[in-house]
Every structure is written in structure tokens, then in C-alpha cells.
């Protein structure tokens, strides 16, 4: 049973305002639900701000010391700590340290297992939602603990660049276990698409193919040993686990920090270092001091690139209830961002949207959107189990059909001309 429409707004900030602006409607059995405008929306307007049902930092990311709040994924490193680690220069000092917004004095750890949070509010929220079940206490660093064995197995099968986390599934289980109304939380998760293949398109999820069968069997066994619960027995059975795996793989929204100096990437949070750099850029300084600061920052980025390369960001993923109702378009009219530098997702309009118009985002990044229709469809088929029929794809498919017909006509004319030449040659020989 799918989650009621009212539930769709329950994780939004100001759900009453959001429900007056947008509407979730059933489209058809292939597309499922869609998000539609209930009133005129202007380019740049924020449609909603939403927190995830669950979120988790990627496992390799955490192993490489990208310190983030265990609950909201906000960076825990100061700008200076971030710069020292990424540049490999332990004695590095940043000018204007007062511009760093990270407040270590507010950070709190779990009293039992010492995992860290950016605030007492996040520590309490995690404890109330899932952490009591997942807290390992003094066994936090014990490699033989069932949860740690599950994490290690996941890392051995899912190397960077990471796209999901087994701990997202673990937090789903823990949230249901801790909930007073377990049926309600199961109902919330039932909203997300969890098919393992699309029968009409005969597409199988790329992580659920035959070659992954042995790995999935091992993960299922470890998952069951670490987290089994009688209320969720279906999730621990082979087919239920595959369905859960597909749910996370196809619905998980990436959440990640960026150390980029540019603000052009909307799908990332800004790291503490990047926020410090932007604050420096806004300083009003004498020309010589401004030049010296810019040179320092430019050299810092060169040192980081040399030491760390592209593996700079704190990354994770989350399940967002309302955002998941947005269908894909290769020419989207909305996009997600993380303006508070934590897991809160904001959806903003990329263009004017009329009442009754569907609100679509792109499941592809900017580089993928610029690729050919064939390449885009390959990514969408493997990761999201559908073939895109947005206006851009239909237009390109029509152009391809016309081109193919013209090529066939040209080939026919060429063959006719060649036959005519052959006949002329034969007559000349006679």
C-alpha cells in the first residue's frame, strides 16, 4: 500500500504552505506518481524544504576521515582542519580564522559509542529515531561486531565513487524498530519505488543482475545477522532484501559537501573550507592584501589537488519523501540544492511553472545531460529502470528517425546510380 498523500508533506518545513503550492498525483502505472504545481511558480522560487526520512554518510567516505555529523551530515571539521587534511600540510594556518562557521564547542558525541554530532539537537534526534538500535557502545571499533562486518563487506563490494550505503538500509530497519507506530513508518517507506526490474522494458537493476547474486546473498546474510526483526521479516527474506536494495539504489538522493570555489554545482553542500573561501572573497580589503589572500587560496587549492585529487568531498545519500515524487526530464524545470549545508533539501524552480504543469528534476548530472540520447537512456535504464520520454528525447528520437530515413533514401539513390553506371559500362564494353 502506498503512503497517503498527506504523509508526502510530513517531512517538509511548513507542510501547510507546501501543500498549497504543489500536489502529488497518480499519472499511470509506468510513471507512477508525479509532482504538479497548484499555482503559478516563478523562476527561482523555492517550492519546499524537506528533511530525509533517513540519511547516511557513504562508508568509504567515513573511512577516509571525512568527519560529518552522524545525523544531518553537516561538516564537523573547521576550515583549518579541513585544509590541513586535504593539503597534507599539518602546520597550515589559515588567515582570518574568524570567518569559519564551524563551532566545535557545540559538537556532542554519543556517550556510549562516541559517534559525533554537530549539536545536542542532532544527537537527540538520532537517538529518538534510530541510534538506540544501531549504537555499538564499546564495540564501536570491534571488527567482529555484526554491524561492522556488514560495513566491511559493503566496502569490499562497493568501491568509490560511491552511490549508496548499506547503512541507509540499516537505518530504515532501526527507524521501524524504534518507532512506536511501526506500521506508520513501514507505510512511509512503502511509498518509494522498490521494483527490481521493469517488466515492460525488460530492464534489471544493474546492481541486481546475475553476476551480483553471490554478493547479495552474503550481504543479506550479514544484514539479517546484524539487524533481524520479526516485524520486518519480509525485508530479510531474499526477495524482500533485493527489493529493499533496489529501493535505496533507485530512490537515494546524493548529499555531499564540495570544496569547489565555484557555486555552480547545486547538488552539493559547501565544506567548511569552501564556506571560509567564499567569506574571504566577500571581504573588503586593500588591493595588496586582497591579492595576497587570493594568491594564498590559489596555492592552497593547488596543494589540495596535488595531495588529494578529486576525492575531496564528504558524501552520503538520503531518502526524501516528497522529492522522490518528482519525475525525470532531460530539460528539468526544477532542481535540488542544500542551502543550509546539512541534509535539508530545497527544491527551486529553474523556469516559470504554470498551474497544473508537472514539476520535473533531472536524475542526470550536467555532464550526462549533455550526452547523446543513447548515452542518457543507458544511465537511466541501468539506475532508474525506465526509458525517458521527455520532450527533448522525443524530439531527438524523431530527428534520428528522419535522419535514418534520409540515409536510407540516399543509400537507395546511390545504389541506383551505381547500377546505372554498371549498365553504361556494360553497354560501352559491348
Amino acid at each position: 500500500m502506498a503512503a497517503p498523500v498527506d504523509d508526502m508533506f510530513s517531512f517538509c518545513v511548513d507542510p501547510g504552505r507546501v501543500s498549497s503550492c504543489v500536489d502529488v498525483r497518480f499519472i499511470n502505472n509506468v510513471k507512477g506518481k508525479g509532482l504538479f504545481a497548484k499555482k503559478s511558480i516563478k523562476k527561482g522560487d523555492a517550492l519546499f524544504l524537506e528533511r530525509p526520512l533517513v540519511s547516511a554518510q557513504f562508508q568509504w567516505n567515513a573511512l577516509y576521515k571525512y568527519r560529518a555529523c552522524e545525523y544531518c551530515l553537516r561538516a564537523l571539521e573547521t576550515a583549518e582542519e579541513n585544509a590541513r587534511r586535504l593539503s597534507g600540510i599539518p602546520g597550515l594556518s589559515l588567515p582570518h580564522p574568524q570567518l569559519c562557521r564551524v563551532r566545535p564547542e557545540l559538537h556532542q558525541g554519543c556517550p556510549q559509542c562516541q559517534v559525533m554530532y554537530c549539536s545536542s539537537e542532532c544527537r537527540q534526534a538520532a537517538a529518538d529515531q534510530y541510534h538506540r538500535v544501531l549504537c555499538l557502545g564499546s564495540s564501536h571499533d570491534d571488527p567482529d561486531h555484526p554491524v561492522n562486518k556488514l560495513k566491511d563487506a559493503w566496502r569490499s563490494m562497493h568501491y568509490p565513487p560511491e552511490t549508496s550505503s548499506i547503512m541507509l538500509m540499516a537505518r530504515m530497519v532501526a527507524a521501524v524498530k524504534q518507532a512506536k507506530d511501526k506500521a506508520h513508518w513501514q507505510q512511509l517507506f512503502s511509498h518509494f519505488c522498490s521494483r527490481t526490474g521493469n517488466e515492460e522494458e525488460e530492464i534489471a537493476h544493474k546492481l541486481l543482475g546475475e553476476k551480483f547474486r553471490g554478493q547479495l546473498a552474503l550481504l543479506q546474510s550479514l544484514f539479517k545477522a546484524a539487524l533481524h526483526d520479526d516485524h520486518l521479516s519480509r525485508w530479510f527474506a531474499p526477495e524482500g532484501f533485493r527489493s529493499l536494495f533496489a529501493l535505496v539504489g533507485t530512490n537515494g538522493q546524493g548529499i555531499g559537501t564540495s570544496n569547489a570555489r565555484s557555486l555552480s554545482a547545486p547538488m552539493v553542500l559547501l565544506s567548511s573550507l569552501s564556506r571560509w573561501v567564499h567569506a574571504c572573497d566577500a571581504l573588503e580589503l586593500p588591493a595588496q592584501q586582497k591579492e595576497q589572500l587570493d594568491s594564498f587560496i590559489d596555492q592552497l587549492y593547488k596543494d589540495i589537488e596535488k595531495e588529494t585529487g578529486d576525492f575531496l568531498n564528504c558524501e552520503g545519500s538520503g531518502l526524501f519523501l516528497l522529492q522522490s515524487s518528482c519525475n525525470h526530464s532531460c530539460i528539468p524545470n526544477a532542481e535540488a540544492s542544500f542551502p543550509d549545508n546539512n541534509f535539508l533539501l530545497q527544491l527551486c524552480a529553474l523556469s516559470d511553472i504554470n498551474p497544473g504543469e508537472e514539476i520535473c528534476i533531472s536524475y542526470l548530472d550536467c555532464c550526462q545531460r549533455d550526452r547523446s540520447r543513447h548515452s542518457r537512456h543507458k544511465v537511466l535504464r541501468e539506475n532508474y529502470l525506465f526509458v525517458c520520454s521527455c520532450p527533448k528525447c522525443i524530439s531527438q528520437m524523431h530527428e534520428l528517425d528522419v535522419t535514418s530515413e534520409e540515409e536510407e533514401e540516399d543509400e537507395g539513390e546511390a545504389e541506383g546510380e551505381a547500377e546505372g553506371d554498371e549498365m553504361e559500362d556494360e553497354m560501352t564494353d559491348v
Side-chain angles (χ1 to χ4, degrees):
M1 179 185 295
V5 170
D6 288 348
D7 282 341
M8 301 295 292
F9 303 97
S10 58
F11 282 76
C12 291
V13 176
D14 196 356
R17 185 196 69 81
V18 177
S19 62
S20 69
C21 176
V22 298
D23 190 22
V24 179
R25 303 177 193 169
F26 178 77
I27 300 174
N28 55 46
N29 290 327
V30 176
K31 294 188 72 173
K33 295 183 182 69
L35 189 68
F36 292 83
K38 294 176 72 173
K39 61 183 182 180
S40 295
I41 298 170
K42 296 297 183 183
K43 179 180 178 180
D45 283 356
L47 281 69
F48 60 80
L49 189 67
E50 182 181 25
R51 64 184 174 89
L53 274 74
V54 289
S55 62
Q57 187 179 3
F58 290 151
Q59 289 303 298
W60 278 103
N61 205 255
L63 191 68
Y64 275 89
K65 310 298 183 185
Y66 290 77
R67 294 196 292 122
C69 175
E70 182 77 3
Y71 180 68
C72 78
L73 301 184
R74 190 188 299 275
L76 296 179
E77 290 180 307
T78 65
E80 193 165 84
E81 290 171 335
N82 197 203
R84 287 174 176 177
R85 176 173 59 80
L86 294 175
S87 68
I89 305 174
L92 180 69
S93 294
L94 296 185
H96 307 288
Q98 75 280 3
L99 297 179
C100 177
R101 300 183 187 180
V102 177
R103 295 291 175 259
E105 67 273 12
L106 299 178
H107 298 173
Q108 290 195 7
C110 169
Q112 283 73 44
C113 68
Q114 305 307 314
V115 298
M116 294 299 296
Y117 301 91
C118 68
S119 64
S120 59
E121 290 81 6
C122 278
R123 182 183 66 80
Q124 190 60 52
D128 291 343
Q129 184 179 336
Y130 62 81
H131 188 66
R132 291 194 195 96
V133 168
L134 294 178
C135 181
L136 304 189
S138 59
S139 299
H140 183 260
D141 297 318
D142 180 4
D144 292 325
H145 190 283
V147 172
N148 287 332
K149 289 172 73 173
L150 178 65
K151 291 179 181 179
D152 288 341
W154 175 260
R155 281 193 292 264
S156 70
M157 301 174 191
H158 199 79
Y159 290 95
E162 298 172 90
T163 56
S164 190
S165 172
I166 194 71
M167 291 311 292
L168 201 59
M169 298 164 61
R171 289 185 182 182
M172 291 173 66
V173 171
V176 175
K177 277 189 172 186
Q178 282 194 205
K180 293 180 179 179
D181 189 346
K182 300 182 189 303
H184 176 66
W185 271 84
Q186 286 180 271
Q187 189 177 53
L188 290 175
F189 287 126
S190 75
H191 160 74
F192 296 97
C193 172
S194 59
R195 59 193 175 189
T196 57
N198 184 329
E199 294 79 11
E200 293 186 10
E201 301 293 344
E202 297 182 353
I203 300 168
H205 192 279
K206 70 175 183 178
L207 290 180
L208 297 178
E210 187 65 34
K211 65 180 180 179
F212 294 99
R213 187 175 298 276
Q215 293 179 333
L216 281 172
L218 175 60
L219 280 177
Q220 182 218 341
S221 174
L222 292 171
F223 192 74
K224 185 175 182 178
L227 299 162
H228 185 264
D229 183 84
D230 290 339
H231 287 95
L232 297 168
S233 56
R234 182 177 61 85
W235 284 0
F236 295 94
E239 191 56 38
F241 182 74
R242 286 167 60 86
S243 180
L244 191 64
F245 200 84
L247 183 156
V248 168
T250 55
N251 295 278
Q253 166 66 56
I255 306 169
T257 62
S258 172
N259 284 292
R261 195 167 184 176
S262 168
L263 283 169
S264 61
M267 293 304 294
V268 297
L269 315 176
L270 293 178
S271 70
S272 51
L273 173 60
S274 188
R275 297 179 78 189
W276 173 84
V277 169
H278 288 298
C280 286
D281 288 341
L283 285 175
E284 294 184 4
L285 298 172
Q288 185 176 0
Q289 292 184 31
K290 186 70 170 176
E291 185 177 344
Q292 290 175 344
L293 181 58
D294 285 342
S295 296
F296 175 88
I297 293 172
D298 289 341
Q299 184 59 50
L300 175 58
Y301 275 103
K302 289 177 183 177
D303 292 337
I304 289 174
E305 185 177 3
K306 181 179 178 181
E307 176 70 18
T308 316
D310 293 331
F311 195 39
L312 301 177
N313 306 330
C314 174
E315 298 174 331
S317 62
L319 295 175
F320 295 85
L321 197 55
L322 186 58
Q323 181 263 357
S324 72
S325 66
C326 292
N327 287 310
H328 165 83
S329 173
C330 296
I331 42 174
N333 57 9
E335 71 177 0
S337 62
F338 299 94
D340 293 334
N341 287 289
N342 59 6
F343 62 13
L344 286 175
L345 179 148
Q346 184 179 69
L347 196 74
C348 288
L350 289 173
S351 60
D352 291 348
I353 303 173
N354 297 319
E357 185 178 348
E358 185 176 6
I359 299 166
C360 294
I361 60 176
S362 177
Y363 297 175
L364 307 173
D365 60 35
C366 293
C367 293
Q368 290 171 332
R369 289 204 298 271
D370 291 336
R371 295 167 67 183
S372 69
R373 173 178 167 272
H374 173 78
S375 296
R376 297 197 308 271
H377 279 207
K378 184 175 186 295
V379 175
L380 294 170
R381 281 198 304 268
E382 290 181 348
N383 292 278
Y384 302 102
L385 310 179
F386 72 89
V387 173
C388 183
S389 58
C390 73
K392 180 177 179 178
C393 287
I394 292 175
S395 174
Q396 290 180 340
M397 182 171 61
H398 176 68
E399 290 173 4
L400 185 63
D401 290 341
V402 170
T403 301
S404 299
E405 289 176 3
E406 290 176 351
E407 288 176 350
E408 288 177 2
E409 290 176 1
D410 290 342
E411 288 175 2
E413 290 175 3
E415 289 175 2
E417 290 175 2
E419 290 175 0
D421 290 341
E422 288 176 3
M423 290 178 65
E424 288 181 9
D425 291 340
E426 289 175 2
M427 292 177 69
T428 302
D429 291 340
V430 171

